Amino acid sequence: MNRNLVIMAVALSLLTSCGEQSKYEKAIADFVQTDKKGTWTDLQFKVIEMGDPTDITVKDSVALLTEKFDSEKSKRLATLNESIARHKVAMEKEHLNTMKKIYQNLIDKNQALVDSLAKTSVKLPDAYKNAAETTVLAKEITCKFSIANPMLNNAKQEITENFILNAAGDKCYRRHSKRK
């Protein structure tokens, strides 16, 4: 009797410890084997190695959005400023007043864009404004897996990628190659 209880307790602890892992595995397997049109194909998906999930919080998301916005803003400002400089050089070399006016109009339009863009800042989704910075929005997990693609005569491939899952870990949003 006691032996049966011990075996049952060990089996139960193994099942509960694998529960989270299998939830992530299922979400990733479904995502990998489903194409953009929603068609599922059996690719004989097998996990070789799965890392621990990393939480993506509101704070992380805000930092990422801000960094991306600032980067795009800087690129756009640089492009506009280069255009202004080019038009000024061209205007100085120009002899026709009509062309000088055209260049000046281009300079003025680009300068107005620079002035406007310089005043902008990142606009965060309303859901972030009242959310605690520690609120988990998603999970990122690295997974090394194998698939057998039927289009390649079932040749096995081993792939390591990062996956972004929802906060519960049961639905995959996207995947991207693992950065080294």
Side-chain angles (χ1 to χ4, degrees):
M1 178 91 176
N2 282 343
R3 185 174 162 213
N4 287 341
L5 285 174
V6 170
I7 291 172
M8 199 180 309
V10 168
L12 186 59
S13 69
L14 285 173
L15 286 174
T16 55
S17 68
C18 294
E20 288 295 302
Q21 189 79 355
S22 64
K23 175 173 62 171
Y24 301 137
E25 184 176 328
K26 180 179 179 349
I28 292 170
D30 288 345
F31 188 81
V32 168
Q33 297 179 106
T34 304
D35 67 13
K36 291 180 182 177
K37 294 178 183 175
T39 305
W40 187 86
T41 304
D42 183 7
L43 300 177
Q44 300 171 17
F45 179 93
K46 287 194 176 47
V47 170
I48 297 168
E49 186 179 324
M50 188 177 296
D52 292 327
T54 303
D55 291 341
I56 300 173
T57 63
V58 169
K59 181 179 179 179
D60 300 329
S61 187
V62 167
L64 185 68
L65 290 171
T66 302
E67 180 183 320
K68 184 171 173 75
F69 176 83
D70 290 343
S71 173
E72 293 297 320
K73 179 179 170 179
S74 294
K75 287 178 190 173
R76 182 72 175 132
L77 283 170
T79 302
L80 288 168
N81 285 323
E82 288 170 8
S83 180
I84 290 170
R86 262 193 329 274
H87 293 313
K88 284 182 178 180
V89 168
M91 188 171 74
E92 289 173 9
K93 293 179 181 177
E94 188 58 56
H95 299 296
L96 296 172
N97 284 336
T98 306
M99 287 305 294
K100 285 185 177 188
K101 285 182 182 179
I102 291 172
Y103 284 126
Q104 188 59 54
N105 283 341
L106 291 171
I107 291 168
D108 292 344
K109 284 181 183 178
N110 284 338
Q111 189 59 54
L113 287 171
V114 165
D115 295 343
S116 175
L117 190 57
K119 295 175 188 172
T120 62
S121 61
V122 68
K123 182 169 176 15
L124 298 172
D126 289 337
Y128 288 15
K129 293 179 182 169
N130 296 323
E133 287 185 339
T134 56
T135 302
V136 177
L137 300 174
K139 294 186 179 293
E140 182 173 28
I141 192 164
T142 300
C143 181
K144 181 178 182 179
F145 59 93
S146 69
I147 56 172
N149 192 333
M151 301 296 221
L152 302 173
N153 295 325
N154 284 333
K156 288 248 186 220
Q157 296 175 294
E158 285 189 6
I159 303 167
T160 302
E161 291 184 318
N162 289 339
F163 293 87
I164 305 297
L165 290 82
N166 64 359
D170 58 1
K171 181 171 176 21
C172 189
Y173 293 135
R174 71 175 178 267
R175 69 196 234 190
H176 56 87
S177 297
K178 184 173 173 6
R179 294 184 187 125
K180 294 186 182 199

XYZ file of all heavy atoms in Angstrom, residues 39-94:
447
model
N -3.020 26.278 -42.147
C -2.968 24.858 -42.465
C -1.905 24.174 -41.617
O -0.754 24.581 -41.624
C -2.640 24.652 -43.968
O -3.595 25.374 -44.738
C -2.671 23.189 -44.340
N -2.319 23.138 -40.909
C -1.399 22.394 -40.061
C -0.794 21.248 -40.857
O -1.489 20.536 -41.578
C -2.128 21.858 -38.838
C -1.231 21.226 -37.823
C -0.568 21.860 -36.823
C -0.895 19.845 -37.690
N 0.156 20.970 -36.080
C -0.027 19.710 -36.605
C -1.239 18.700 -38.410
C 0.497 18.502 -36.194
C -0.712 17.486 -38.005
C 0.145 17.388 -36.914
N 0.523 21.069 -40.747
C 1.235 19.985 -41.413
C 2.071 19.244 -40.387
O 2.801 19.873 -39.618
C 2.176 20.535 -42.517
O 1.410 21.322 -43.419
C 2.860 19.417 -43.266
N 1.967 17.927 -40.374
C 2.758 17.133 -39.437
C 4.207 17.122 -39.893
O 4.550 16.535 -40.913
C 2.227 15.705 -39.367
C 2.975 14.863 -38.349
O 3.822 15.414 -37.606
O 2.711 13.645 -38.284
N 5.047 17.827 -39.157
C 6.470 17.899 -39.470
C 7.294 17.028 -38.525
O 8.504 17.160 -38.457
C 6.957 19.355 -39.385
C 6.284 20.339 -40.332
C 6.796 21.755 -40.086
C 6.498 19.943 -41.774
N 6.611 16.137 -37.806
C 7.277 15.264 -36.827
C 8.134 16.099 -35.868
O 9.292 15.793 -35.603
C 8.102 14.196 -37.543
C 7.263 13.309 -38.430
C 8.090 12.399 -39.302
O 9.274 12.180 -39.058
N 7.470 11.839 -40.330
N 7.546 17.164 -35.359
C 8.196 18.099 -34.439
C 8.635 17.378 -33.173
O 7.858 16.660 -32.554
C 7.212 19.221 -34.089
C 7.755 20.237 -33.135
C 8.370 21.379 -33.599
C 7.646 20.063 -31.755
C 8.868 22.332 -32.722
C 8.135 21.006 -30.879
C 8.749 22.136 -31.361
N 9.896 17.572 -32.792
C 10.416 17.018 -31.537
C 11.333 18.050 -30.885
O 12.230 18.581 -31.533
C 11.210 15.739 -31.795
C 10.345 14.549 -32.156
C 11.115 13.254 -32.080
C 10.276 12.037 -32.327
N 9.393 12.007 -33.416
N 11.096 18.311 -29.611
C 11.962 19.217 -28.858
C 13.242 18.479 -28.504
O 13.210 17.374 -27.979
C 11.273 19.727 -27.580
C 12.251 20.463 -26.697
C 10.106 20.625 -27.929
N 14.365 19.117 -28.807
C 15.667 18.571 -28.435
C 16.104 19.191 -27.115
O 16.554 18.514 -26.203
C 16.715 18.833 -29.541
C 16.292 18.112 -30.815
C 18.105 18.420 -29.094
C 17.067 18.517 -32.051
N 15.921 20.505 -27.035
C 16.323 21.236 -25.834
C 15.468 22.491 -25.730
O 15.239 23.176 -26.725
C 17.796 21.617 -25.970
C 18.416 22.251 -24.770
C 19.894 22.551 -25.015
O 20.573 21.760 -25.688
O 20.330 23.608 -24.533
N 14.993 22.780 -24.527
C 14.181 23.979 -24.339
C 14.706 24.746 -23.142
O 14.904 24.166 -22.065
C 12.711 23.627 -24.145
C 11.822 24.858 -24.135
S 10.063 24.484 -24.004
C 9.761 23.601 -25.505
N 14.946 26.027 -23.335
C 15.424 26.869 -22.249
C 14.299 27.253 -21.312
O 13.130 26.931 -21.538
N 14.658 27.945 -20.262
C 13.659 28.443 -19.327
C 13.007 29.688 -19.915
O 13.683 30.518 -20.535
C 14.311 28.794 -17.985
C 14.811 27.562 -17.253
O 14.166 26.496 -17.387
O 15.840 27.656 -16.559
N 11.707 29.845 -19.713
C 11.037 31.031 -20.246
C 11.478 32.302 -19.512
O 11.739 32.272 -18.311
C 9.558 30.748 -20.016
C 9.521 29.735 -18.929
C 10.793 28.960 -19.010
N 11.573 33.382 -20.264
C 11.898 34.686 -19.706
C 10.655 35.554 -19.823
O 10.040 35.624 -20.894
C 13.045 35.339 -20.509
O 14.157 34.457 -20.505
C 13.447 36.667 -19.914
N 10.291 36.211 -18.738
C 9.121 37.086 -18.762
C 9.432 38.378 -19.507
O 10.515 38.946 -19.351
C 8.665 37.431 -17.344
C 8.073 36.239 -16.614
O 7.678 35.264 -17.278
O 8.000 36.284 -15.368
N 8.480 38.830 -20.298
C 8.543 40.144 -20.934
C 7.487 40.987 -20.229
O 6.298 40.699 -20.320
C 8.272 40.061 -22.445
C 9.318 39.171 -23.122
C 8.252 41.462 -23.060
C 9.043 38.885 -24.585
N 7.946 41.997 -19.500
C 7.054 42.808 -18.672
C 6.663 44.104 -19.383
O 7.197 44.430 -20.446
C 7.738 43.162 -17.341
O 8.888 43.965 -17.632
C 8.143 41.923 -16.570
N 5.759 44.828 -18.777
C 5.367 46.138 -19.290
C 6.599 47.032 -19.397
O 6.804 47.715 -20.403
C 4.294 46.797 -18.385
C 4.078 48.249 -18.745
C 2.981 46.023 -18.473
N 7.467 46.987 -18.388
C 8.691 47.800 -18.390
C 9.570 47.443 -19.593
O 10.086 48.328 -20.279
C 9.460 47.588 -17.087
C 10.722 48.403 -16.970
C 11.412 48.147 -15.650
C 12.691 48.960 -15.557
N 13.371 48.736 -14.278
N 9.748 46.140 -19.853
C 10.543 45.696 -21.004
C 9.935 46.183 -22.312
O 10.634 46.639 -23.214
C 10.627 44.163 -21.052
C 11.276 43.558 -19.817
O 12.148 44.217 -19.223
O 10.897 42.431 -19.454
N 8.624 46.062 -22.407
C 7.918 46.446 -23.630
C 8.015 47.951 -23.878
O 8.255 48.389 -25.002
C 6.456 46.017 -23.532
O 5.801 46.233 -24.745
N 7.854 48.739 -22.826
C 7.970 50.193 -22.943
C 9.380 50.567 -23.396
O 9.564 51.407 -24.283
C 7.611 50.897 -21.613
C 8.028 52.357 -21.620
C 6.120 50.776 -21.341
N 10.381 49.931 -22.809
C 11.776 50.207 -23.195
C 12.005 49.858 -24.661
O 12.646 50.618 -25.397
C 12.738 49.426 -22.299
N 11.480 48.731 -25.109
C 11.629 48.313 -26.496
C 10.930 49.272 -27.454
O 11.500 49.679 -28.472
C 11.083 46.890 -26.675
C 11.268 46.264 -28.037
C 12.747 46.004 -28.291
C 10.497 44.960 -28.121
N 9.702 49.650 -27.132
C 8.962 50.586 -27.984
C 9.657 51.946 -28.049
O 9.759 52.553 -29.117
C 7.528 50.756 -27.472
C 6.603 49.560 -27.643
C 5.293 49.789 -26.898
C 6.347 49.281 -29.109
N 10.145 52.407 -26.912
C 10.833 53.702 -26.861
C 12.122 53.659 -27.668
O 12.416 54.578 -28.438
C 11.123 54.091 -25.394
O 9.876 54.133 -24.679
C 11.792 55.445 -25.307
N 12.880 52.589 -27.515
C 14.134 52.439 -28.257
C 13.881 52.410 -29.769
O 14.571 53.074 -30.533
C 14.831 51.149 -27.817
C 16.140 50.883 -28.518
C 16.741 49.554 -28.101
O 16.679 49.209 -26.904
O 17.273 48.861 -28.980
N 12.878 51.662 -30.173
C 12.548 51.564 -31.607
C 12.083 52.921 -32.137
O 12.502 53.352 -33.209
C 11.480 50.503 -31.837
C 11.160 50.273 -33.301
C 10.270 49.073 -33.476
C 9.802 48.910 -34.878
N 10.767 48.414 -35.808
N 11.241 53.608 -31.375
C 10.753 54.922 -31.798
C 11.918 55.900 -31.932
O 12.036 56.602 -32.942
C 9.733 55.468 -30.796
C 9.274 56.862 -31.128
C 8.266 57.073 -32.047
C 9.867 57.971 -30.525
C 7.852 58.350 -32.370
C 9.465 59.256 -30.841
C 8.447 59.445 -31.767
N 12.774 55.950 -30.915
C 13.908 56.876 -30.942
C 14.853 56.568 -32.106
O 15.377 57.485 -32.750
C 14.669 56.850 -29.618
C 13.877 57.483 -28.482
O 12.897 58.216 -28.762
O 14.237 57.241 -27.316
N 15.057 55.307 -32.375
C 15.921 54.906 -33.485
C 15.344 55.359 -34.831
O 16.051 55.937 -35.662
C 16.101 53.386 -33.469
O 16.781 52.962 -34.614
N 14.061 55.095 -35.032
C 13.402 55.505 -36.289
C 13.372 57.033 -36.414
O 13.577 57.577 -37.503
C 11.979 54.943 -36.353
C 11.919 53.436 -36.473
C 12.547 52.907 -37.755
O 12.354 53.523 -38.813
O 13.241 51.878 -37.676
N 13.132 57.705 -35.313
C 13.101 59.168 -35.308
C 14.477 59.722 -35.692
O 14.574 60.639 -36.525
C 12.686 59.668 -33.924
C 12.645 61.173 -33.774
C 12.187 61.534 -32.358
C 12.343 62.983 -32.052
N 11.871 63.314 -30.696
N 15.531 59.163 -35.120
C 16.893 59.612 -35.429
C 17.231 59.403 -36.902
O 17.825 60.274 -37.543
C 17.913 58.865 -34.573
O 17.755 59.202 -33.230
N 16.856 58.254 -37.439
C 17.108 57.977 -38.858
C 16.373 58.977 -39.745
O 16.937 59.500 -40.712
C 16.650 56.556 -39.222
C 17.521 55.453 -38.687
C 16.942 54.094 -39.068
C 17.643 52.968 -38.352
N 16.969 51.667 -38.601
N 15.122 59.226 -39.425
C 14.316 60.158 -40.233
C 14.884 61.585 -40.148
O 14.970 62.283 -41.160
C 12.858 60.130 -39.758
C 11.936 61.010 -40.545
C 11.668 60.457 -41.928
N 10.685 61.289 -42.587
C 10.814 61.754 -43.806
N 11.847 61.440 -44.548
N 9.884 62.524 -44.320
N 15.275 62.001 -38.946
C 15.865 63.334 -38.783
C 17.173 63.448 -39.569
O 17.423 64.479 -40.213
C 16.124 63.635 -37.301
C 14.900 64.014 -36.465
C 15.242 64.058 -34.989
C 14.311 65.336 -36.927
N 17.987 62.412 -39.541
C 19.251 62.431 -40.278
C 18.992 62.557 -41.780
O 19.657 63.339 -42.467
C 20.055 61.169 -39.984
N 18.027 61.810 -42.284
C 17.684 61.873 -43.707
C 17.202 63.269 -44.095
O 17.619 63.822 -45.126
C 16.591 60.828 -44.051
O 17.071 59.533 -43.704
C 16.219 60.864 -45.516
N 16.330 63.838 -43.277
C 15.820 65.180 -43.566
C 16.929 66.225 -43.520
O 16.994 67.107 -44.383
C 14.706 65.548 -42.581
C 13.379 64.811 -42.777
C 12.459 65.038 -41.579
C 12.694 65.235 -44.066
N 17.794 66.138 -42.515
C 18.901 67.101 -42.403
C 19.883 66.985 -43.567
O 20.403 67.991 -44.053
C 19.605 66.955 -41.060
C 18.786 67.547 -39.930
O 18.122 68.570 -40.090
N 18.821 66.894 -38.779
N 20.125 65.751 -44.024
C 20.981 65.563 -45.203
C 20.343 66.185 -46.437
O 21.031 66.815 -47.260
C 21.239 64.070 -45.452
C 22.172 63.433 -44.458
C 22.219 61.910 -44.585
O 21.639 61.350 -45.550
O 22.832 61.282 -43.709
N 19.045 66.018 -46.563
C 18.321 66.594 -47.696
C 18.394 68.123 -47.665
O 18.615 68.770 -48.698
C 16.862 66.124 -47.665
O 16.143 66.673 -48.740
N 18.236 68.691 -46.490
C 18.331 70.153 -46.349
C 19.725 70.619 -46.764
O 19.866 71.593 -47.522
C 18.015 70.585 -44.889
C 16.520 70.382 -44.600
C 18.421 72.037 -44.647
C 16.148 70.551 -43.138
N 20.749 69.944 -46.298
C 22.130 70.321 -46.630
C 22.364 70.222 -48.141
O 22.989 71.114 -48.735
C 23.110 69.428 -45.878
N 21.872 69.149 -48.770
C 22.029 68.985 -50.226
C 21.343 70.111 -50.993
O 21.885 70.656 -51.944
C 21.423 67.640 -50.673
C 22.401 66.532 -50.849
C 21.814 65.335 -51.577
N 20.392 65.061 -51.400
C 19.867 64.345 -50.405
N 20.647 63.823 -49.487
N 18.568 64.147 -50.344
N 20.125 70.447 -50.558
C 19.376 71.515 -51.236
C 20.045 72.877 -51.046
O 20.027 73.718 -51.963
C 17.928 71.555 -50.754
C 17.118 70.356 -51.149
N 17.103 69.843 -52.420
C 16.288 69.573 -50.430
C 16.306 68.793 -52.468
N 15.808 68.608 -51.265
N 20.636 73.114 -49.880
C 21.353 74.378 -49.659
C 22.560 74.487 -50.583
O 22.799 75.550 -51.173
C 21.792 74.504 -48.193
C 20.657 74.873 -47.261
C 21.151 75.035 -45.831
C 20.008 75.442 -44.920
N 20.447 75.599 -43.523
N 23.308 73.413 -50.720
C 24.468 73.405 -51.623
C 24.005 73.637 -53.059
O 24.600 74.450 -53.790
C 25.256 72.071 -51.497
C 26.264 71.925 -52.615
C 25.926 71.986 -50.133
N 22.959 72.946 -53.455
C 22.444 73.093 -54.825
C 21.942 74.512 -55.053
O 22.145 75.086 -56.136
C 21.334 72.086 -55.088
N 21.298 75.101 -54.047
C 20.758 76.450 -54.180
C 21.899 77.474 -54.334
O 21.786 78.416 -55.119
C 19.894 76.808 -52.957
C 19.139 78.131 -53.117
S 17.940 78.404 -51.815
C 19.007 78.827 -50.456
N 22.986 77.261 -53.596
C 24.129 78.177 -53.693
C 24.783 78.136 -55.065
O 25.289 79.146 -55.556
C 25.165 77.843 -52.608
C 24.706 78.207 -51.207
C 25.661 77.713 -50.131
O 26.760 77.228 -50.470
O 25.282 77.804 -48.953
N 24.747 76.982 -55.699
C 25.358 76.832 -57.023
C 24.426 77.287 -58.149
O 24.887 77.517 -59.261
C 25.727 75.365 -57.269
C 26.840 74.859 -56.377
C 27.120 73.390 -56.671
C 28.207 72.852 -55.769
N 28.441 71.426 -55.999
N 23.151 77.392 -57.844
C 22.147 77.706 -58.872
C 22.194 79.185 -59.247
O 22.368 80.054 -58.403
C 20.757 77.333 -58.340
C 19.667 77.422 -59.355
C 19.904 76.559 -60.581
O 20.101 75.335 -60.454
O 19.904 77.136 -61.687
